[in-house]
Structure formats: C-alpha cells, structure tokens
Amino acid sequence: VQHPAARWAFVLVLCAALGIVASYYWRVFYGLDARGLAPLAVTGFCVGLAVLAGAAALLLRRVRDFAKRGAACILLCGILFAFANPPLQTPDETDHYLRTYAISMGHFDFDAARGYPDDVSDLLAAFPGAWVNAHTSVGIGTDPDTGTEKTYDTTGYALKQYGKDGAVQSMADSFAKYLAHDGTAPKVKEPISFLILPFLPGALGMAAARLLGFGALGCLYGGRLCNLLAYTLLCYAALRNAKRCRPAFVCVMFLPVSLFMGASLSYDATLLGCYYLMLALLTVPEWNDRTALCYTLACVFANGTKPFINLLWVLLPLAVHKGEWKAKAKRGAWSVSYTH
C-alpha cells in the first residue's frame, strides 16, 4: 500500500482484527470471564495494544539506521515485558530487588541487621518468588459431575488454589494483598550481597521513583525500566559495532528470555548486553585501541559480576587474526589485562 493514509488505515485495521483474535484466545483458553473481567474490556485492551504496535511499526519504518531501529524495538518490546512480568517473578529477582533498593538508599555495604520500609516487606509477602509453584496444589478432590473422588493438579493454570477447599487465586489477588498494607508481613532483612556496579542502573530508577513519591511497587517498575534502558543501550552499541550477522544479533536480543531478563531487576540484563557487545566486537575486521578497550570494559564487567563462568571471554581476543590486530599492545597483553 503506497499512499500513506491508506497504508496507515490498512495496517491499523489489520492490527485491530488481530487484537480481536488475541482477546478471543485469551478469554476462551484462559477463562478470564470466570474472574469477572468483561469480554469487552479484554477485547478493548488487546485491540488497543495491537493498534499501538502497528503504529509503532509504521513510525519505525522512517528510521533508516539499523542499530537505532533495532534499539527502539528492543526498548518498546522490553517495556511490555517489564509490566507483563509480575513483580519478583524473574529468577532471583527478590534478592536483586533488595540489593538494588539498598543501593538506591545509599547503602553500598552489607549489614545483615539493616531492614527495609514496611511496604517492601508487604511487596515480598504478596509476591513470593516462583509464584506459580508456590500456588500450585496437587491432591484428591471431588468431581462435581459424578460426585466421585479424583486427583487434581493445578500445574499450568493461571488460576491457583491452595488445597481442594482453598480459595482460587490469581496475580490480581496478590496485587490486592499488597495494596491492602495490613502490616502483618514479616520484616525483611538484607540478603548477602556485595555487588554494586551491575545494580546501579536499577538503583537509579528506584531512587527516581521514590523521589516521585512511589512506594515499593513503583520502585520495582522504575528499577526495571532503568535496567531495560541499560540493556537497550548495550544492544545498540553491539549493533553499531557489528560488521556481520546483524540480523542474527537482533534475533537473539529479541528472544523472549532475553527481553524477560533485560526488563527485570536481574543483573543478567546488563550481563547479556555485555555478551552481545563482546560478540559484536569479534566481528570487527580490524581491532584498534578503541575496540580493544571496549572489549576490555565489557569483559571486566562480566567477570566482576559473575566470575569464573565468564573467564572464557578473556581468551576470545586471541582468536583474532594477527593481521586484523591493529592495537598498540599485543593480543596476549590485552587478555592478561582482563584478568586483573
């Protein structure tokens, strides 16, 4: 479709139709009608989200630079992941949240006796890590049709139940529990952690959220968004430096697990970004001092965040052909510098 107005109308109508299909799948296969959500509300949400996605795609067509377009897509899709992923449900996100929150308060050391505000304790009580597993029940129940006893298993269902007589719960109940602030949550203490650098982006986001008057939940989303921004910037740097396989890099950056971690409070967000940057630098035909320095900084960050398992990155510059190495120091000297 060549005419701009006709193109916009065609794409947005198509997206709206896809939104209706998505809402039908969501309501029928996940039974959201049983939770009191009106079909029209779910359909309107899906249609609106699909239309926004179509508008973003049309606007991004005007961006000619491949790296900028890829970074913009990563940021927009990552924002969806940041809010679609329930609080504290990324692996180890509870500990990462607490460490990031402490740093945002200016506490760079570790003190096992130091606590957190009450709303932080309420947040952790409402959203236990691995929520699905924590709310999954297996046992013997009664078949409502035949009246006979049979086994039941709530694994794989969005709605959970504690025992055969327990209340059916969903994430909405956890949000309601947090917002109630009943003050019965056990007090939380600092986890054992001494890392600072990988948590700084999230800490800046939490500090900004607290300055704007947000509580523990707002701090979580503020930290996630800043962590996502750091992930996006590292991906942009990787795409700018990659001389080969740029579509493959974008595909890896767009993997659901990549966006899932990149839009969380986990330090894996910046760690993954450093991985992509180092791999992109290995596609550069000639290594100069700037290339070697960028690789060094990313490698030091990776090994400082997760030592031992990232030591292989120290050896990879040795695979660069001698004719492609234009940096002043030799390859071996740069590799030795990474370990220090």
Side-chain angles (χ1 to χ4, degrees):
V1 181
Q2 297 301 322
H3 194 276
R7 183 189 310 123
W8 274 78
F10 173 77
V11 171
L12 295 184
V13 169
L14 179 62
C15 288
L18 292 175
I20 294 174
V21 173
S23 69
Y24 177 81
Y25 173 85
W26 190 5
R27 289 188 294 107
V28 171
F29 287 89
Y30 286 90
L32 290 187
D33 288 345
R35 292 292 292 169
L37 293 175
L40 186 60
V42 178
T43 302
F45 175 76
C46 291
V47 169
L49 199 59
V51 169
L52 286 176
L58 289 170
L59 291 173
L60 286 174
R61 291 181 73 250
R62 301 181 180 182
V63 181
R64 300 301 178 186
D65 185 82
F66 183 85
K68 291 180 180 178
R69 184 187 297 182
C73 291
I74 290 170
L75 181 62
L76 292 174
C77 294
I79 291 173
L80 295 178
F81 271 79
F83 289 98
N85 180 22
L88 308 176
Q89 297 311 299
T90 307
D92 301 324
E93 193 172 27
T94 297
D95 286 348
H96 294 169
Y97 173 86
L98 293 175
R99 180 58 177 163
T100 304
Y101 197 100
I103 294 174
S104 73
M105 297 281 288
H107 303 311
F108 297 98
D109 59 339
F110 165 70
D111 185 355
R114 188 160 51 214
Y116 292 85
D118 290 340
D119 61 342
V120 172
S121 299
D122 292 334
L123 182 67
L124 268 65
F127 295 95
W131 188 95
V132 172
N133 290 336
H135 289 72
T136 297
S137 299
V138 178
I140 303 295
T142 302
D143 191 313
D145 298 322
T146 63
T148 60
E149 288 190 343
K150 68 175 185 178
T151 59
Y152 67 89
D153 186 346
T154 62
T155 302
Y157 290 87
L159 304 179
K160 297 299 180 181
Q161 181 177 2
Y162 283 117
K164 65 178 182 179
D165 299 322
V168 177
Q169 298 183 10
S170 71
M171 278 294 174
D173 298 292
S174 290
F175 278 103
K177 180 179 179 180
Y178 165 72
L179 295 174
H181 293 297
D182 55 9
T184 60
K187 303 304 178 184
V188 179
K189 301 296 183 180
E190 283 195 27
I192 301 176
S193 179
F194 299 92
L195 289 175
I196 298 175
L197 188 60
F199 294 118
L200 284 180
L204 291 175
M206 285 191 177
R210 200 160 45 248
L211 286 174
L212 293 174
F214 289 99
L217 184 61
C219 287
L220 178 136
Y221 288 120
R224 280 184 175 182
L225 291 175
C226 276
N227 234 19
L228 171 64
L229 182 60
Y231 173 76
T232 302
L233 291 175
L234 287 169
C235 289
Y236 172 73
L239 294 175
R240 290 286 293 179
N241 285 280
K243 303 305 179 185
R244 296 189 299 270
C245 306
R246 291 203 298 175
F249 276 110
V250 170
C251 289
V252 174
M253 295 169 182
F254 265 106
L255 287 174
V257 67
S258 299
L259 291 177
F260 178 68
M261 300 304 296
S264 73
L265 284 173
S266 173
Y267 56 58
D268 286 336
T270 46
L271 197 60
L272 286 174
C274 287
Y275 290 164
Y276 302 150
L277 178 58
M278 287 187 285
L279 287 173
L281 293 173
L282 291 172
T283 68
V284 176
E286 289 187 356
W287 274 48
N288 53 28
D289 288 338
R290 175 186 170 279
T291 309
L293 178 60
C294 288
Y295 190 96
T296 299
L297 293 175
C299 188
V300 169
F301 180 91
N303 282 281
T305 302
K306 279 191 174 181
F308 308 117
I309 65 173
N310 288 309
L311 286 177
L312 178 62
W313 294 101
V314 175
L315 303 177
L316 290 182
L318 298 177
V320 178
H321 192 272
K322 289 183 179 181
E324 299 174 351
W325 188 270
K326 305 299 181 182
K328 294 180 181 179
K330 295 183 178 180
R331 295 174 300 168
W334 280 101
S335 295
V336 171
S337 70
Y338 303 153
T339 62
H340 296 284

